[in-house]
Amino acid sequence: MRTGRPLLAAAALAVVTTGAAYALGPDAQVTKPTALKRAPGATTTTSETTAASRTASCTTDVRYPKRQLRGVWIATVKNIDWPSRTGLSPAKQQAEYVRILDNAVKRRLNAVFVQVRPASDALYKSSLEPWSKFLTGTAGKDPGWDPLPFLVAEAHKRGLEFHAWFNPYRASYDGDVSKLPADHPARVHPDWIVKHEGLVYYNPGLPAVRDHVTSVITDVVKRYDIDGVHFDDYFYPYPGGSAQFADGAAFRKYGKGEKLADWRRSNVDKLIAQVDEAVHGTKQYVKFGISPFGIWRNKAQDPTGSATAGMSAYDSIYADARHWIRKGTVDYVAPQLYWPSGFKAADYDVLMPWWAKEVKGTDVHLYIGQALYRVGSTDTPAWTRPGQLPSHLTKNRKHKQVKGDVYFNAKQLLTNPLGVLDLIVKNHYSHPALLPLMKDRGGQAPAQPADVKIQGTALSWKGSPGAASYAVYHIPSGKVGECATADARNLVAVVPAAGGDRQSFPASGGGAYLVSALDRLHNESAPAKAAP
């Protein structure tokens, strides 16, 4: 995936463009959805129920969704987005990152997905894996600072949710393991790896590999104030040359009579379930999600698949997103629908509704991975039209299961190809949005803000204990009813909590102001009206 969009363009996207279909495994066994588990120790918050009952009779406008995830992927592999090149000073790395975040805020985004482990390396201080070469140019070399606390803090300072993005199985971009640091897990445990078409992978079929990946992720969840753990679409290698993935010895040892394809899918499923349990057992509020390749299966392989003719993630890279959704081992999926409407082999207008149907009736959230990086590309005529990507968001409105979008990649936040971000902000992000609520992640609405008042051009209020941020609503007419906060028409800002007893926001114009308190998951208190 984004572990390099160029890689996807050359591999998976090329597969779809040619219309080739892979069918390496047996037909999918379609079962009824199972009951979704609740995280250990989870408590049911009443804030969502209370808010819903408060506005139950209100008519909302789909153009102004109150809750919507708006994210961007920040790729570090091969210095795609950040840092722009290796060897930059900490100050320059920090400045580049802040610039990306400021542009995300400018476009009213509310989440970032930052790649912290591109290939069994770390963009943070780790005792389990070496420093990433994408910081200094040399694998294992200490960059002189730990970036992750800064990356998280700067995102939170701007009201952006921070998802730490991990690649689970890639061990090295260099096929020569001897070039890796001596303490690299691939050198310490040579039995864990499979060399395949110039790259080095961890063998998904080994329990020790699953345990290592889970330990790496658990370590980050414990030590850093992240909001989410994120996997991309790379599981077993994408189809490339004619070489077979050499996991035969592990299959003979652990296959237990299964067919190879079923066993490989089961290996991935086991890792997902293991990570899910570890993340939520460590910090219940931390979200776990995956951005799978956009095609689960085609109808040619499975009648319940999508009416498409591209690569099947289920059959080619052994990634069964339907299984994760039905078992509830993910909090969200963000399928990469990097094709335009009308694209014959993989039509956005076919795939988006297919995924909406897959999550229907479950607690798994659906966000759509959008191809911001493709806007302006001349190889597909649809992408030369600035209205193509915004039209995807318009179509999403017809499916309530779609709870947001994530854009690849951050570089285009700065370049704004074809002015597409201006169109998106104008027609879709004209107001801020709160994050969608996940009931299994718990949380509790803070106390209602107190002593809310306007003095001159300053709106201020007394901070609420436990509040991570505050939602500010401005009702120009001054007529405040129970529907004033039902959608985002009156939402003017989500203000991160600052130090001190009182919080503030610049007021403008007449009308009435309301302020509500939000916890880190955006459970919302009742709004308090500002006194003149």
Side-chain angles (χ1 to χ4, degrees):
M1 137 178 170
R2 292 147 290 263
T3 309
R5 212 45 309 131
L7 296 180
L8 177 59
L13 187 60
V15 171
V16 173
T17 304
T18 61
Y22 291 82
L24 305 181
D27 290 341
Q29 299 299 310
V30 181
T31 58
K32 294 181 180 179
T34 58
L36 298 179
K37 61 169 179 58
R38 182 168 292 278
T43 56
T44 302
T45 174
T46 60
S47 63
E48 186 175 14
T49 303
T50 302
S53 62
R54 205 165 50 227
T55 59
S57 61
C58 300
T59 300
T60 58
D61 192 328
V62 294
R63 295 174 299 172
Y64 308 107
K66 179 171 177 174
R67 294 188 179 273
Q68 183 179 52
L69 184 124
R70 304 169 180 173
V72 61
W73 280 292
I74 301 176
T76 60
V77 65
K78 298 189 175 181
N79 302 103
I80 291 175
D81 289 320
W82 181 86
S84 63
R85 57 184 173 85
T86 61
L88 294 177
S89 68
K92 289 184 177 179
Q93 290 177 354
Q94 292 171 3
E96 285 189 350
Y97 179 73
V98 165
R99 186 182 179 209
I100 292 172
L101 296 191
D102 287 344
N103 274 274
V105 171
K106 177 182 176 182
R107 303 302 180 179
R108 296 198 180 93
L109 304 187
N110 56 20
V112 291
F113 296 73
V114 182
Q115 192 175 35
V116 302
R117 185 195 192 240
S120 191
D121 53 0
L123 279 91
Y124 57 91
K125 189 174 181 61
S126 172
S127 63
L128 300 174
E129 294 185 316
W131 283 105
S132 175
K133 69 178 181 180
F134 302 117
L135 290 172
T136 64
T138 302
K141 183 178 179 180
D142 191 328
W145 70 303
D146 184 351
L148 194 48
F150 176 85
L151 302 181
V152 174
E154 290 298 312
H156 287 169
K157 187 188 299 183
R158 290 163 176 78
L160 296 165
E161 189 173 56
F162 187 98
H163 294 248
W165 161 17
F166 300 80
N167 181 283
Y169 295 129
R170 187 182 299 111
S172 174
Y173 266 110
D174 193 329
D176 186 353
V177 177
S178 67
K179 293 182 180 180
L180 299 174
D183 61 350
H184 193 290
R187 292 190 65 180
V188 176
H189 303 281
D191 54 314
W192 287 5
I193 66 172
V194 176
K195 295 181 179 180
H196 181 75
E197 297 185 341
L199 301 180
V200 180
Y201 296 88
Y202 289 126
N203 189 338
L206 300 179
V209 165
R210 294 194 289 271
D211 291 344
H212 174 70
V213 173
T214 304
S215 294
V216 166
I217 292 166
T218 304
D219 174 58
V220 172
V221 175
K222 283 181 178 177
R223 294 193 294 121
Y224 297 97
D225 189 27
I226 65 172
D227 303 297
V229 166
H230 181 75
F231 281 2
D232 53 38
D233 58 311
Y234 284 108
F235 294 99
Y236 279 83
Y238 270 89
S242 59
Q244 298 296 310
F245 190 72
D247 57 355
F251 178 52
R252 288 189 293 273
K253 183 175 181 179
Y254 298 107
K256 297 180 181 179
E258 290 185 277
K259 293 181 179 179
L260 177 62
D262 290 337
W263 176 72
R264 286 176 172 173
R265 275 187 291 274
S266 177
N267 294 331
V268 175
D269 294 342
K270 287 175 182 176
L271 175 69
I272 302 307
Q274 190 170 328
V275 170
D276 173 61
E277 183 176 356
V279 168
H280 299 143
T282 304
K283 291 179 181 176
Q284 180 191 327
Y285 60 81
V286 174
K287 303 168 183 177
F288 174 46
I290 299 175
S291 53
F293 181 70
I295 299 173
W296 173 71
R297 295 191 96 188
N298 304 289
K299 282 187 177 294
Q301 289 104 33
D302 188 308
T304 67
S306 52
T308 49
M311 191 199 80
S312 157
Y314 179 96
D315 298 303
S316 295
I317 57 175
Y318 309 100
D320 187 359
R322 172 179 280 175
H323 177 88
W324 313 330
I325 292 169
R326 294 186 171 187
K327 291 296 184 182
T329 51
V330 290
D331 291 314
Y332 68 84
V333 289
Q336 298 168 43
L337 305 190
Y338 290 168
W339 308 286
S341 297
F343 187 68
K344 187 176 180 181
D347 190 337
Y348 184 88
D349 298 353
V350 169
L351 284 165
M352 180 270 291
W354 185 91
W355 284 97
K357 185 178 179 182
E358 285 300 300
V359 303
K360 187 176 182 179
T362 76
D363 289 335
V364 176
H365 285 200
L366 172 62
Y367 314 129
I368 304 298
Q370 299 286 2
L372 180 60
Y373 80 103
R374 296 283 293 151
V375 174
S377 300
T378 56
D379 56 352
T380 304
W383 290 124
T384 65
R385 298 191 288 270
Q388 176 61 222
L389 187 57
S391 75
H392 293 188
L393 275 62
T394 301
K395 291 167 182 175
N396 291 354
R397 292 172 177 166
K398 298 177 182 179
H399 299 268
K400 65 180 181 180
Q401 291 82 16
V402 179
K403 297 182 183 297
D405 300 271
V406 188
Y407 300 90
F408 188 84
N409 54 319
K411 190 175 294 183
Q412 281 70 39
L413 279 183
L414 310 181
T415 60
N416 187 23
L418 302 184
V420 69
L421 293 172
D422 299 331
L423 290 175
I424 288 174
V425 171
K426 178 182 178 182
N427 297 318
H428 296 276
Y429 296 169
S430 60
H431 292 260
L434 307 188
L435 295 165
L437 287 174
M438 291 181 176
K439 66 181 182 181
D440 280 357
R441 300 286 63 81
Q444 184 174 357
Q448 183 183 42
D451 192 25
V452 183
K453 57 187 178 183
I454 296 179
Q455 293 178 310
T457 58
L459 171 69
S460 69
W461 60 92
K462 186 176 181 179
S464 302
S469 55
Y470 299 87
V472 177
Y473 301 85
H474 179 215
I475 299 86
S477 67
K479 297 179 181 179
V480 178
E482 67 175 8
C483 297
T485 63
D487 58 25
R489 274 175 286 188
N490 299 317
L491 182 63
V492 293
V494 177
V495 183
D501 181 58
R502 294 194 68 79
Q503 312 290 308
S504 63
F505 182 77
S508 60
Y513 278 88
L514 302 175
V515 180
S516 63
L518 308 168
D519 72 353
R520 69 182 299 148
L521 291 163
H522 282 191
N523 290 291
E524 184 179 28
S525 75
K529 185 179 179 181

